[in-house]
């Protein structure tokens, strides 16, 4: 399995390197153009711009026989162009409509807050809280830009989109080839907050009092060839932000890249007329997970992976029309417990090995509004009896198969 994973990443890297055969062409399906895009591309005629997006959905869990409806998120963007060289990008997100002290309701958070410094028409720097270029969804997460009511499972649990941290990034594109690149220095993750079953997600600081004794570096390459878009990205960073004395007391490796986590990701997207396809694979390696499990009584894996393939067709495709009616199908696999430290440093959890099949429809009457519906079929590995705190009949027996019905709306402007 490991050889297959790294072979996929290597193939994507080789494809990216085939620059001598490149042709500059625009993909048939473009990302939605918003006021934020206009500011980012230097096309806005306004000094200050307002933009945003939002989504709401209904979900039926057939095993639990439980339904829920929520205003998933409302995001408001305010940007300002100080001059032709310097711009401000800020975005605030409200999740699940209500924020109540002491209760698990909604959340208010900054999704981004950074300054952009244009160096020349092809290169720029950003500094502040921003979303690094990892995966497909992380940068392009507007509800009108992806199929399905829910974001892809792999890009929720393995790549924890929307992943943002404080740092400085350098972005650019080459002069003669359709090749984009990025490299960024960020604050690192906090392993003390890692939780079993959520990968590295809970270790993010998201701009809030981040440890800065430990750092991270992320980089990416994007290459356009005919109707294809290839990308590879990587991340490496320390996960212990304690000073040396504190880390030593827990037998952890400190320093800028101490107790490191490694992420490697590759994806390809294809768009031609009404047909589109995409595929993504990501692997996370955490070699010193056993030390973290000992120090913080966690149950963290040393290896996690995920991948998906999606096919879609727009039945209303017409170059002159802005509406579309897209049907799609996506297969996802992920395992947040692919390999674990030797017992008793960790306990295997088969429920974290999952397969998802999602099929649905998206209707955009205009390019900035979407109505969605889909069905998701879930299959997981078996539950480990050693992890059952409340066994049957006190709790319902665990079922490896489940299905969900999702209906949602979304917008951007």
């Amino acid at each position: 399995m490991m050889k297959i994973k790294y072979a996929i990443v290597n193939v994507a890297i080789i494809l990216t390197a085939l620059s001598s055969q490149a042709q500059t062409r625009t993909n048939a399906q473009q990302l939605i153009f918003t006021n934020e895009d206009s500011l980012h591309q230097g096309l806005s005629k306004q000094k200050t711009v307002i933009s945003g997006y939002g989504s709401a959905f209904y979900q039926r869990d057939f095993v639990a026989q439980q339904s829920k409806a929520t205003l998933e998120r409302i995001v408001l963007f305010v940007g300002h162009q100080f001059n032709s060289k310097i711009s401000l990008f800020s975005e605030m997100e409200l999740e699940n409509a209500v924020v109540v002290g002491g209760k698990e309701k909604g959340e208010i958070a900054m999704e981004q807050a950074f300054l952009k410094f244009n160096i020349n028409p092809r290169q720029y720097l950003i500094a502040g809280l921003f979303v690094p270029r990892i995966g497909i969804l992380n940068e392009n997460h507007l509800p009108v830009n992806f199929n399905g009511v829910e974001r892809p499972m792999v890009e929720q649990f393995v790549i924890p989109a929307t992943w943002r941290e404080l740092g400085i990034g350098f972005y650019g594109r080459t002069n003669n080839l359709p090749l984009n690149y990025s490299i960024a220095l960020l604050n690192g993750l906090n392993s003390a907050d890692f939780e079993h079953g959520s990968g590295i997600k809970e270790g993010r600081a998201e701009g809030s009092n981040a440890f800065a004794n430990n750092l991270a570096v992320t980089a990416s390459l994007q290459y356009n060839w005919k109707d294809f878009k290839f990308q590879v990205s990587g991340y490496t960073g320390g996960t212990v932000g304690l000073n040396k004395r504190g880390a030593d007391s827990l037998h952890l490796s400190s320093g800028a890249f101490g107790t490191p986590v490694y992420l490697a990701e590759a994806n390809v997207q294809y768009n031609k007329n009404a047909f589109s396809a995409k595929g993504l694979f990501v692997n996370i390696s955490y070699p010193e997970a056993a030390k973290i499990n000992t120090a913080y009584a966690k149950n963290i894996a040393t290896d996690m992976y995920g991948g998906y393939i999606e096919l879609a067709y727009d039945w209303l495709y017409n170059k002159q029309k802005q509406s579309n009616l897209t049907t799609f199908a996506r297969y996802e696999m992920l395992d947040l417990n692919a390999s674990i430290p030797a017992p008793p440093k960790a306990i295997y959890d088969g429920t974290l090995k999952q397969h998802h099949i999602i099929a649905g429809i998206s209707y955009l009457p205009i390019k900035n509004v979407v109505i969605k519906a889909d069905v998701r079929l879930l299959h997981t590995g078996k539950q480990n009896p050693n992890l059952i705190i409340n066994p049957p009949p006190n709790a319902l027996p665990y079922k490896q198969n489940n299905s969900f019905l999702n209906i949602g709306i979304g917008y951007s402007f």
Side-chain angles (χ1 to χ4, degrees):
M1 177 63 73
M2 290 299 295
K3 291 182 179 179
I4 294 174
K5 294 182 211 172
Y6 290 114
I8 294 173
V9 175
N10 288 335
V11 168
I13 294 173
I14 292 170
L15 288 171
T16 303
L18 295 175
S19 59
S20 61
Q21 301 178 15
Q23 298 180 32
T24 304
R25 289 180 59 178
T26 302
N27 287 338
Q29 183 179 354
Q30 296 292 332
L31 295 178
I32 300 303
F33 197 81
T34 65
N35 292 338
E36 178 184 354
D37 296 327
S38 179
L39 178 63
H40 184 72
Q41 295 176 26
L43 301 176
S44 175
K45 297 180 180 179
Q46 305 289 330
K47 282 287 187 180
T48 301
V49 301
I50 296 176
S51 186
Y53 66 93
S55 60
F57 71 87
Y58 162 90
Q59 182 179 79
R60 175 66 176 177
D61 181 331
F62 287 98
V63 166
Q65 297 185 353
Q66 182 68 50
S67 299
K68 70 174 183 179
T70 187
L71 183 62
E72 184 180 23
R73 55 178 52 89
I74 295 291
V75 178
L76 180 64
F77 172 88
V78 178
H80 184 76
Q81 185 173 253
F82 296 102
N83 55 40
S84 61
K85 293 290 186 180
I86 304 174
S87 299
L88 167 69
F89 292 72
S90 68
E91 204 168 61
M92 179 172 287
E93 177 183 50
L94 170 62
E95 291 187 356
N96 298 315
V98 178
V99 177
V100 180
K103 295 183 180 180
E104 290 189 10
K105 286 279 188 176
E107 176 187 69
I108 294 179
M110 294 302 297
E111 191 163 287
Q112 61 179 355
F114 65 85
L115 289 170
K116 179 187 176 190
F117 302 89
N118 295 323
I119 300 173
N120 56 52
R122 294 182 294 107
Q123 297 173 321
Y124 62 89
L125 285 168
I126 60 176
L129 181 70
F130 62 91
V131 175
R133 186 172 291 164
I134 301 174
I136 297 173
L137 184 76
N138 210 37
E139 281 190 315
N140 302 310
H141 50 267
L142 303 187
V144 291
N145 282 346
F146 62 88
N147 291 316
V149 175
E150 300 172 287
R151 295 173 174 181
M153 301 295 120
V154 171
E155 295 196 84
Q156 290 189 60
F157 298 114
V158 187
I159 303 173
T162 307
W163 186 359
R164 64 268 194 184
E165 302 288 2
L166 286 164
I168 182 169
F170 176 67
Y171 290 73
R173 66 178 187 273
T174 57
N175 192 28
N176 298 318
L177 297 173
L179 178 66
N180 298 319
Y181 53 85
S182 72
I183 184 168
L185 179 68
L186 309 167
N187 63 263
L189 298 169
N190 181 10
S191 56
D193 290 335
F194 287 172
E195 293 293 340
H196 173 74
S198 63
I200 62 175
K201 182 177 181 178
E202 301 303 325
R204 301 172 299 168
E206 299 181 322
S208 177
N209 297 308
F211 279 133
N213 282 350
N214 58 317
L215 300 173
V217 173
T218 180
S220 72
L221 290 173
Q222 286 182 343
Y223 186 78
N224 294 291
W225 178 70
K226 295 186 176 181
D227 297 303
F228 290 89
K229 182 178 182 179
F230 301 97
Q231 177 178 295
V232 291
S233 69
Y235 172 99
T236 180
T239 63
V240 175
L242 301 172
N243 58 33
K244 189 175 187 308
R245 181 174 179 177
D248 287 348
S249 69
L250 295 172
H251 304 286
L252 299 175
S253 302
S254 60
F257 295 93
T259 316
V261 62
Y262 306 102
L263 181 151
E265 176 269 334
N267 70 74
V268 58
Q269 300 178 68
Y270 174 80
N271 292 284
K272 186 170 185 179
N273 298 330
F275 179 74
S276 63
K278 63 180 68 172
L280 177 145
F281 183 82
V282 58
N283 186 83
I284 294 178
S285 177
Y286 195 38
E288 298 183 52
K291 292 183 178 180
I292 298 302
N293 293 343
T294 299
Y296 298 118
K298 304 290 184 176
N299 188 20
I300 306 300
T302 55
D303 191 66
M304 297 164 265
Y305 70 84
Y308 67 81
I309 297 173
E310 178 183 296
L311 303 176
Y313 189 84
D314 177 10
W315 297 91
L316 298 181
Y317 175 78
N318 187 315
K319 291 182 180 180
Q320 306 304 319
K321 293 183 179 180
Q322 295 192 20
S323 61
N324 70 51
L325 180 67
T326 300
T327 54
F328 78 98
R330 182 168 66 241
Y331 168 71
E332 301 194 48
M333 64 172 184
L334 61 96
D335 192 348
L336 298 179
N337 239 186
S339 65
I340 62 173
K345 300 294 185 181
I347 303 174
Y348 179 73
D349 185 352
T351 66
L352 299 183
K353 184 174 184 179
Q354 302 180 358
H355 299 266
H356 301 261
I357 298 175
I358 304 98
I361 188 168
S362 297
Y363 173 58
L364 283 81
I366 57 175
K367 67 178 183 177
N368 293 95
V369 173
V370 64
I371 303 166
K372 304 181 180 184
D374 63 65
V375 173
R376 174 164 62 93
L377 306 178
L378 166 66
H379 175 76
T380 75
K382 293 182 179 180
Q383 192 176 39
N384 188 331
N386 295 323
L387 290 171
I388 300 176
I389 299 175
N390 191 25
N394 297 322
L396 293 174
Y398 180 78
K399 294 188 177 181
Q400 292 178 246
N401 297 302
N402 197 359
S403 55
F404 303 85
L405 170 67
N406 298 303
I407 302 172
I409 57 172
Y411 68 86
S412 68
F413 63 91

